[in-house]
Amino acid sequence: MNQSKKLTLFSTQIYKTKCLSKRSKLFTELADATERLYAGDIEGAKWSSEHYKNGYTSYGSYDQIHLMTEPFLLLKNKIDQHVKNYIKMLGLDISLDNLFMSRFWVNVMPKGSYHAWHTHPLSVISGTFYLQLPKGASPIRFEDPRFMFFMTRPSLLNKTPKEQQNFYSLNPQEGDLVLFESWIKHEVPMATQTDPRISLSFNYDLKR
Ligand SMILES: [Fe+2]
């Protein structure tokens, strides 16, 4: 009898859920509020031209959108519940009361825009809600946090399950919410489609 037993240790957990139906009133209100914000944000367009090549983000202008317009606040309230679930899933010794949404912003990514590899320093939980994903829109890609320690480890076979590969491309649907720990490195590869990929991103930080 084979006595060997597989033990998976130090796993990285990403949370993905259908947060909102595309047919819901709130989804339409969010799309409208995002478009209004994007269309009227001259300062943000200037900031984006310097820091977010070929795209738009309100990260440098409006980064507290949940305090600006009701639909964003209503979405934040929904996200709170999922962050609560994720904290439990991760086994962190905190509750939602120990965290607050520190930043919440809009991303609009047409053809030629991308978001290079990065983490969200000083935050605990980060994530994105997906509003518009045209056909061919880029995924969000995650890097294996152990990657820099592999040294002489041989490369993996192509047939190795994608969950065991060193990079994972997650293709969400419109209305989906993705949460990850803020230290996990991720990127959005360059957009090749014309219609913009539109998302709302956020950070949760520890209360001091
Ligand atoms: Fe990010």
Side-chain angles (χ1 to χ4, degrees):
M1 186 195 272
N2 186 356
Q3 295 290 318
S4 65
K5 189 179 169 192
K6 182 179 163 185
L7 190 61
T8 303
L9 300 174
F10 314 124
S11 62
T12 306
Q13 300 187 66
I14 307 288
Y15 183 101
K16 180 170 98 66
T17 189
K18 174 63 71 191
C19 179
L20 212 53
S21 164
K22 272 183 74 178
R23 288 190 290 274
S24 66
K25 187 167 164 261
L26 180 55
F27 191 93
T28 307
E29 288 172 352
L30 285 165
D32 292 346
T34 300
E35 199 177 325
R36 276 199 303 277
L37 189 138
Y38 166 43
D41 185 11
I42 294 163
E43 191 191 328
K46 187 171 175 290
W47 194 91
S48 301
S49 69
E50 290 162 20
H51 301 279
Y52 206 69
K53 199 170 184 312
N54 298 324
Y56 161 82
T57 175
S58 71
Y59 190 79
S61 50
Y62 299 119
D63 68 346
Q64 302 260 310
I65 57 173
H66 53 303
L67 305 180
M68 289 174 65
T69 315
E70 196 184 24
F72 296 128
L73 176 62
L74 294 176
L75 179 62
K76 185 247 178 210
N77 292 341
K78 284 185 177 291
I79 295 170
D80 276 351
Q81 295 313 306
H82 293 289
V83 169
K84 202 171 167 179
N85 296 342
Y86 188 42
I87 288 169
K88 202 170 168 189
M89 183 196 286
L90 293 168
L92 300 180
D93 187 16
I94 55 168
S95 74
L96 184 62
D97 292 340
N98 299 115
L99 297 178
F100 71 104
M101 186 185 262
S102 57
R103 300 183 99 167
F104 194 13
W105 68 95
V106 172
N107 310 294
V108 179
M109 300 182 73
K111 192 172 185 170
S113 59
Y114 61 95
H115 201 157
W117 289 107
H118 65 285
T119 59
H120 295 211
L122 307 179
S123 296
V124 178
I125 307 289
S126 298
T128 300
F129 174 80
Y130 294 89
L131 259 182
Q132 182 172 295
L133 294 166
K135 199 173 176 336
S138 298
I140 177 168
R141 288 184 85 219
F142 295 99
E143 183 186 283
D144 187 337
R146 306 165 304 167
F147 199 50
M148 71 174 89
F149 303 111
F150 286 151
M151 297 181 287
T152 56
R153 187 202 206 199
S155 55
L156 296 168
L157 296 168
N158 287 337
K159 67 179 181 186
T160 302
K162 65 177 187 173
E163 292 79 6
Q164 284 175 244
Q165 298 284 349
N166 302 128
F167 294 93
Y168 186 92
S169 290
L170 194 158
N171 284 288
Q173 306 281 310
E174 292 168 346
D176 280 357
L177 174 73
V178 173
L179 302 177
F180 49 90
E181 291 191 77
S182 305
W183 53 264
I184 300 173
K185 213 166 162 188
H186 56 286
E187 69 154 356
V188 180
M190 187 178 282
T192 53
Q193 85 293 338
T194 307
D195 288 340
R197 175 192 194 274
I198 302 177
S199 61
L200 308 174
S201 296
F202 49 83
N203 289 327
Y204 282 76
D205 294 7
L206 275 176
K207 289 179 187 169
R208 306 278 171 196

